[in-house]
């Protein structure tokens, strides 16, 4: 067994080295190689760690990185998977890379693993995590998963095999919260209170109900009644027929507001179910309601371990956004802001951010239809560009790019922008130049790329602005 | 141009349940193309328990959805709304039905385990579940669009495991050039019966296929305002750019 493990680890690291040398940051090959040699790799290695898995549709990476920051703030040793390597192969590679590094007992080292919702079932049966954080469920990449309920039930089946896993769940998401029902697992919930939903930082009013998932009770298919909503189908849901409703969270956001410098200030209330009853003042460098949820998830996980709340507060305040999800890059006297878009909910939230922009700004939408982006771009029509186009504020330059630049341009036209306003710019260097040159000093260029577009864009920006490689 | 104010009434059926895959883009395309011609439109959202008035609407749109949502509305569609829907169809109301909506208008849906689930039976087609999902960009050609030098090609995206077969009462919407179409076998996509247009194509279907959007609008306008030439040509350069990229690409499946 040891020989197999050694060989698998060596092969994996060698493959990873080759990948780095040819500057191909692809993170799935090393893991695949390792598993070929030693199929029991994940099972055997994960047993040496205490494990946290983070899964869900939106916010996985940000939440995982926040928990990372919290672990570091507590001086805890941990391993975590590289960005985007959240399938079985990426997780195998993570274990292979870190094997043989430490001789400490199980209690001392942690593995923090972001895991794709579709891969969760497989992975959790091998790992049986100590903690599972589930952020939310939204429609996403339909050409990949087919149906939202299939994904949800796959996660549910994975949990069924791990009765001692402690769950951290979103109380406001009727789909996510249902994972805690009828099982022996201990579960802690996070969510908003009605008062916080009203005082929200925007994005609460998404778009017409026509775009929401999960408006009907997943147990008896009666339409939910909502006492409040935060975004998408999240909020104070209640089924008038069978009574399935949002339970009181153990950690709630009772207030949230945008600070003038763009940071978000929130108050988190902790119930005595999970710690000492207390209120915490949370300052986060991230904007938007969905990032408050990410902070809630990370904070709740931290309390469940349990780790001191004060360290979590510190960690959230000094959080640096993970690669590309929302990245701010200084470009001389101007600023570039990259905001990754993957699905309608995330895109709507991203658009609500620029609606609040008071400076003069440029905007570019880079839409690719490669496998990792989702090959069906129909989802663009579920994004509320009409709302954005009706009041774009101080928009000075608008561009569309990517493999489906033309479809993006058509979307903008039908949303209400004039054809002369819409610039199709296929070359990234030109896209960046044109976006920046129309700005005055202090202006900001918002770029919304899909996943592979962001990888390509960062390659170009990396050279210009000396960014870190994405696999660091 | 006539001096009276022209207006089309659109019905979006089950918008809260059949709203997957961005099909709302079809309604946006119709609304905007009317607006750009100075024609007003009013869109009603009609769902479970709401009355559907067969005389009120000029265009009815039914989108696609997941099994979970389709289950919820079947009772309402087959029992409550069916008579009114039949009236509307037989009276020449224009319908556009995508994917799940297309399947629901047919006779039945046969599942993997051979169970026949009843649908509305309003149109002469039926659907059977298949093993492989039929998914990817699709290009098909509509003969009725090939006037004035237009190539007649439609570019969209399909994603369905159901295979639909047309009975003698139905004509296909188009001939498949690239992709699977209704069932991956007979080379046809979608269906036409009277003014009811059905298709598996997402994308959404109409936005980058303005010739089809205008054809549908033309049928609705001609029915409501016979003889008045209301569809002035629009500048469809951008739409055509997007359409041609898929419709004439050498893309691989």
């Amino acid at each position: 067994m040891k020989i197999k493990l050694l060989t698998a680890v060596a092969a994996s690291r060698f493959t990873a080295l080759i990948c780095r040398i040819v500057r191909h940051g692809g993170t799935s090959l090393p893991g695949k190689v390792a598993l070929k040699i030693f199929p029991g790799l994940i099972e055997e290695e994960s047993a040496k760690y205490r494990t946290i898995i983070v899964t869900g549709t939106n916010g996985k990476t940000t939440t995982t990185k926040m928990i990372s920051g919290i672990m570091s703030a507590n001086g805890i040793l941990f391993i975590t998977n590289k960005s985007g390597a959240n399938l079985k192969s990426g997780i195998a590679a993570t274990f292979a890379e870190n094997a043989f590094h430490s001789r400490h007992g199980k209690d001392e080292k942690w593995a923090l693993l972001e895991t794709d919702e579709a891969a969760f079932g497989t992975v959790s049966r091998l790992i049986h995590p100590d903690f599972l954080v589930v952020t939310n469920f939204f429609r996403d990449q339909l050409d990949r998963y087919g149906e939202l309920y299939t994904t949800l039930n796959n996660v549910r089946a994975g949990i069924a095999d791990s009765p001692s896993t402690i769950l951290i769940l979103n109380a406001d998401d009727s789909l996510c919260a249902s994972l805690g029902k009828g099982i022996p697992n201990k579960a802690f919930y996070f969510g908003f209170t009605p008062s916080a939903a009203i005082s929200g930082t925007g994005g609460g009013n998404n778009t017409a109900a026509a775009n929401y998932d999960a408006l009907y009770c997943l147990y008896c298919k009666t339409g939910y009644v909502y006492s409040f909503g935060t975004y998408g189908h999240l909020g104070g849901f209640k089924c008038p027929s069978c009574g399935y409703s949002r339970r009181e969270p153990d950690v709630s956001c009772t207030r949230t507001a945008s600070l003038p410098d763009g940071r978000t200030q929130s108050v988190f209330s902790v119930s005595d179910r999970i710690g000492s009853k207390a209120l915490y003042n949370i300052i986060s460098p991230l904007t938007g309601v969905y990032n408050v949820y990410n902070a809630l998830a990370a904070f709740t996980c931290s309390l469940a371990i349990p780790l001191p709340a004060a360290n979590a507060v510190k960690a959230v305040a000094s959080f640096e956004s993970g690669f590309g999800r929302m990245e701010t890059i200084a470009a001389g006297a101007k600023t570039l802001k990259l905001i990754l878009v993957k699905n309608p909910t995330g895109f709507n939230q991203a658009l609500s951010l620029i609606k609040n922009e008071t400076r003069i700004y440029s905007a570019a939408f880079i839409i690719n239809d490669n496998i990792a982006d989702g090959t069906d771009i129909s989802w663009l029509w579920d994004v509320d560009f009409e709302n954005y186009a009706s009041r774009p504020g101080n928009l000075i330059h608008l561009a569309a790019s990517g493999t489906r630049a033309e479809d993006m341009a058509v979307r903008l036209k039908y949303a209400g922008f004039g054809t002369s306003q819409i610039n199709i710019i296929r070359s990234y260097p030109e896209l960046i130049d044109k976006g920046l040159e129309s700005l005055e000093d202090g202006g900001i260029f918002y770029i919304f790329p899909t996943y592979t577009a962001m990888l390509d864009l960062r390659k170009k920006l990396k050279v210009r602005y000396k960014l870190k490689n994405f696999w660091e | 141009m006539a001096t009276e104010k022209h207006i089309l009434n659109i019905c979006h059926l089950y918008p809260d349940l059949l709203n997957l895959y961005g099909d709302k883009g079809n309604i946006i395309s119709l609304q905007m193309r009317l607006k750009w011609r100075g024609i007003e439109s009013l869109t009603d959202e009609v769902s479970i328990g709401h009355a559907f008035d067969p005389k009120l609407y000029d265009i009815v749109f039914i989108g696609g959805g997941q099994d979970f949502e389709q289950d919820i509305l079947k009772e309402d569609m087959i029992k409550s709304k069916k008579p009114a829907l039949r009236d509307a169809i037989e009276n020449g109301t224009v319908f556009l039905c995508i994917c799940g909506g297309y399947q629901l208008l047919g006779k039945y849906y046969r599942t993997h385990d051979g169970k026949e689930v009843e649908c509305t039976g309003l149109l002469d087609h039926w659907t059977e579940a298949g093993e492989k999902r039929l998914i990817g960009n699709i290009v098909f050609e509509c003969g009725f669009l090939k006037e004035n030098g237009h190539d007649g090609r439609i570019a969209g995206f399909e994603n369905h495991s159901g295979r639909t077969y047309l009975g003698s009462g139905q004509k296909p919407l188009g001939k498949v050039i690239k992709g699977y179409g209704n069932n991956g076998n007979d080379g046809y996509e979608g269906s036409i019966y009277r003014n009811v247009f059905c298709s598996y194509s997402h994308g959404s279907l109409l936005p980058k296929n303005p010739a089809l959007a205008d054809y549908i609008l033309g049928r609705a306008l001609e029915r409501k305002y016979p003889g008045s030439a209301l569809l002035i040509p629009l500048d469809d350069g951008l739409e055509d750019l997007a359409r041609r990229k898929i419709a004439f690409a050498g893309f691989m499946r």
Side-chain angles (χ1 to χ4, degrees):
Chain A
M1 264 304 217
K2 201 89 187 240
I3 303 286
K4 253 203 187 152
L5 175 62
L6 263 162
T7 316
V9 167
S12 168
R13 291 187 191 171
F14 182 69
T15 312
L17 178 66
I18 298 293
C19 284
R20 273 177 150 75
I21 288 173
V22 299
R23 296 204 161 278
H24 172 57
T27 42
S28 70
L29 195 54
K32 287 202 172 100
V33 165
L35 286 169
K36 216 40 201 269
I37 297 171
F38 181 23
L41 172 71
I42 296 180
E43 229 158 345
E44 174 154 319
E45 278 304 291
S46 66
K48 300 173 184 164
Y49 300 82
R50 294 195 70 196
T51 47
I52 303 173
I53 288 185
V54 181
T55 195
T57 305
N58 289 325
K60 287 190 291 293
T61 300
T62 301
T63 301
T64 302
K65 289 215 145 210
M66 276 190 170
I67 297 174
S68 253
I70 294 174
M71 303 288 261
S72 296
N74 282 287
I76 294 175
L77 289 173
F78 67 98
I79 66 170
T80 188
N81 42 349
K82 301 277 199 302
S83 58
N86 60 11
L87 299 176
K88 187 178 170 194
S89 54
I91 288 168
T94 306
F95 281 118
E97 259 191 54
N98 289 284
F100 303 116
H101 274 175
S102 149
R103 299 223 161 74
H104 293 141
K106 188 182 189 216
D107 275 349
E108 304 210 34
K109 201 121 174 244
W110 288 75
L112 171 62
L113 303 164
E114 177 196 323
T115 304
D116 184 283
E117 323 74 284
F120 171 75
T122 316
V123 168
S124 107
R125 281 178 187 98
L126 300 170
I127 293 184
H128 298 292
D130 295 83
F131 295 92
L132 170 66
V133 180
V134 187
T135 54
N136 50 62
F137 287 96
F138 284 95
R139 70 181 63 172
D140 181 61
Q141 287 197 355
L142 292 156
D143 60 318
R144 203 178 145 205
Y145 301 135
E147 307 222 339
L148 180 56
Y149 293 91
T150 310
T151 308
L152 174 64
N153 288 329
N154 284 341
V155 174
R156 197 189 303 282
I159 292 173
D161 279 343
S162 293
S164 41
T165 301
I166 298 175
L167 310 176
I168 312 290
L169 304 173
N170 190 330
D172 301 345
D173 180 346
S174 57
L175 301 173
C176 182
S178 76
L179 291 174
K181 284 189 50 138
I183 48 168
N185 304 54
K186 207 160 176 196
F188 296 107
Y189 296 81
F190 59 89
F192 271 57
T193 56
S195 53
I198 295 164
S199 72
T201 57
N205 180 27
N206 220 356
T207 174
N211 287 339
Y212 289 170
D213 307 299
L215 289 182
Y216 290 77
C217 179
L218 78 159
Y219 295 108
C220 71
K221 303 195 176 178
T222 311
Y224 289 121
V225 170
Y226 279 80
S227 56
F228 72 92
T230 50
Y231 78 104
H233 60 276
L234 271 52
F237 65 90
K238 185 187 167 93
C239 175
S241 178
C242 72
Y244 173 51
S245 60
R246 170 189 169 276
R247 49 176 295 157
E248 202 55 38
D250 301 298
V251 181
S252 345
C253 174
T254 58
R255 245 187 51 85
T256 183
S258 287
L259 295 173
D261 60 1
R263 293 182 301 162
T264 306
Q265 175 174 31
S266 314
V267 176
F268 286 1
S269 167
V270 174
S271 85
D272 52 23
R273 251 196 102 231
I274 192 175
S276 344
K277 209 156 140 61
L279 291 177
Y280 294 95
N281 190 28
I282 309 284
I283 309 269
S284 159
L286 302 178
T287 23
V289 166
Y290 59 127
N291 277 314
V292 180
Y293 273 106
N294 291 333
L296 276 169
F299 199 79
T300 308
C301 179
S302 163
L303 289 175
I305 286 175
L307 296 172
N311 291 337
V313 173
K314 264 206 301 250
V316 171
S318 55
F319 179 74
E320 267 171 37
S321 180
F323 134 78
R325 260 64 185 175
M326 198 185 317
E327 199 173 355
T328 304
I329 299 167
K334 304 169 190 176
T335 310
L336 291 166
K337 259 206 157 107
L338 304 189
I339 306 176
L340 178 72
V341 289
K342 314 185 323 166
N343 54 52
T345 306
F347 215 139
N348 283 329
Q349 292 280 301
L351 287 175
S352 70
L353 293 179
I354 53 175
K355 282 207 79 162
N356 293 330
E357 179 57 65
T358 47
R359 293 165 286 188
I360 294 180
Y361 73 96
S362 305
F365 301 96
I366 315 180
I367 307 298
N368 279 359
D369 63 347
N370 298 314
I371 305 283
D373 309 294
T375 52
D376 180 1
I377 50 87
S378 307
W379 64 279
L380 289 179
W381 295 91
D382 279 332
V383 180
D384 194 356
F385 287 103
E386 281 70 19
N387 184 325
Y388 171 56
S390 69
R391 272 196 333 266
N394 288 322
L395 172 68
I396 196 164
H397 175 85
L398 179 64
S401 186
T403 58
R404 298 303 285 268
E406 301 80 6
D407 274 280
M408 184 63 226
V410 171
R411 182 69 190 96
L412 290 169
K413 175 181 176 181
Y414 280 79
F417 287 101
T419 36
S420 54
Q421 270 188 288
I422 305 166
N423 300 284
I424 295 181
I425 305 175
R426 287 168 226 285
S427 133
Y428 287 167
E430 196 189 330
L431 183 75
I432 299 167
D433 285 340
K434 287 259 151 64
L436 287 175
E437 74 192 20
S438 13
L439 298 173
E440 298 167 353
D441 285 356
I444 182 160
F445 183 11
Y446 286 96
I447 307 181
F448 302 87
T450 57
Y451 186 71
T452 66
M454 185 180 38
L455 297 184
D456 292 337
L457 180 67
R458 276 187 109 259
K459 277 201 194 105
K460 298 283 186 300
L461 292 175
K462 180 170 110 61
V463 176
R464 245 193 237 203
Y465 301 111
K466 301 193 175 9
L467 306 177
K468 284 219 217 85
N469 284 338
F470 84 88
W471 57 81
E472 288 164 49
Chain B
M1 296 303 128
T3 48
E4 82 182 75
K5 188 103 140 299
H6 295 94
I7 181 166
L8 284 191
N9 292 313
I10 302 175
C11 173
H12 189 171
L13 205 51
Y14 306 116
D16 48 344
L17 292 159
L18 301 178
N19 61 1
L20 214 52
Y21 305 117
D23 295 322
K24 190 167 106 180
N26 294 305
I27 298 201
I28 294 174
S29 168
L30 294 172
Q31 290 170 332
M32 292 306 283
R33 296 187 76 76
L34 287 171
K35 178 172 167 194
W36 289 331
R37 286 150 167 145
I39 304 171
E40 256 190 65
S41 66
L42 283 179
T43 305
D44 279 354
E45 297 188 336
V46 174
S47 188
I48 299 179
H50 304 159
F52 172 79
D53 181 348
K55 294 203 175 36
L56 177 54
Y57 300 108
D58 305 301
I59 302 179
V60 177
F61 175 75
I62 314 178
Q66 303 176 102
D67 289 348
F68 182 84
E69 276 82 8
Q70 288 191 41
D71 261 351
I72 296 176
L73 62 86
K74 273 206 179 94
E75 171 93 17
D76 183 80
M77 198 174 182
I78 298 173
K79 303 249 159 50
S80 315
K81 295 209 179 13
K82 179 171 163 177
L85 288 170
R86 174 183 288 121
D87 280 350
I89 288 176
E90 299 305 324
N91 279 322
T93 305
V94 172
F95 276 65
L96 176 61
C97 308
I98 304 291
C99 203
Y102 179 10
Q103 295 174 346
L104 283 165
L105 286 190
K107 302 209 281 221
Y108 64 82
Y109 185 105
R110 185 178 296 145
T111 63
H112 279 110
D113 22 355
K115 189 170 87 144
E116 260 184 35
V117 178
E118 187 199 354
C119 295
T120 58
L122 291 165
L123 296 180
D124 190 10
H125 64 259
W126 57 95
T127 308
E128 289 166 10
E131 275 300 310
K132 184 172 89 147
R133 209 148 233 274
L134 306 179
I135 185 168
N137 283 319
I138 181 170
V139 181
F140 58 96
E141 192 181 274
C142 299
F144 59 89
L145 291 180
K146 289 174 81 168
E147 318 178 315
N148 307 324
H150 192 281
D151 52 70
R153 286 199 179 186
I154 302 290
F157 191 96
E158 61 184 330
N159 181 358
H160 54 114
S161 57
R163 282 115 170 95
T164 297
Y165 299 92
L166 304 182
S168 52
Q170 291 263 66
K171 283 196 325 258
L173 180 63
K175 261 189 0 221
V176 177
I177 300 202
K178 269 198 172 88
Y180 299 102
N182 285 337
N183 48 56
N185 264 328
D186 61 18
Y188 291 130
E189 208 292 323
S191 72
I192 305 181
Y193 169 76
R194 292 180 159 266
N195 281 331
V196 179
F197 300 85
C198 295
S199 175
Y200 267 116
S201 182
H202 304 292
S204 326
L205 174 61
L206 297 185
K208 62 177 174 286
N209 298 295
L212 181 60
D214 283 351
Y215 186 84
I216 288 173
L217 285 174
R219 299 280 273 227
L221 287 167
E222 182 59 33
R223 176 174 172 260
K224 187 162 190 176
Y225 304 109
S228 45
L230 293 168
L231 277 183
I232 50 176
L234 296 174
D235 176 3
D236 294 331
L238 209 50
E239 291 89 325
D240 216 47
L241 203 58
R243 183 184 69 94
R244 297 180 72 84
K245 180 154 186 177
I246 303 296
F248 290 94
F251 58 79
M252 300 216 298
R253 181 145 294 288

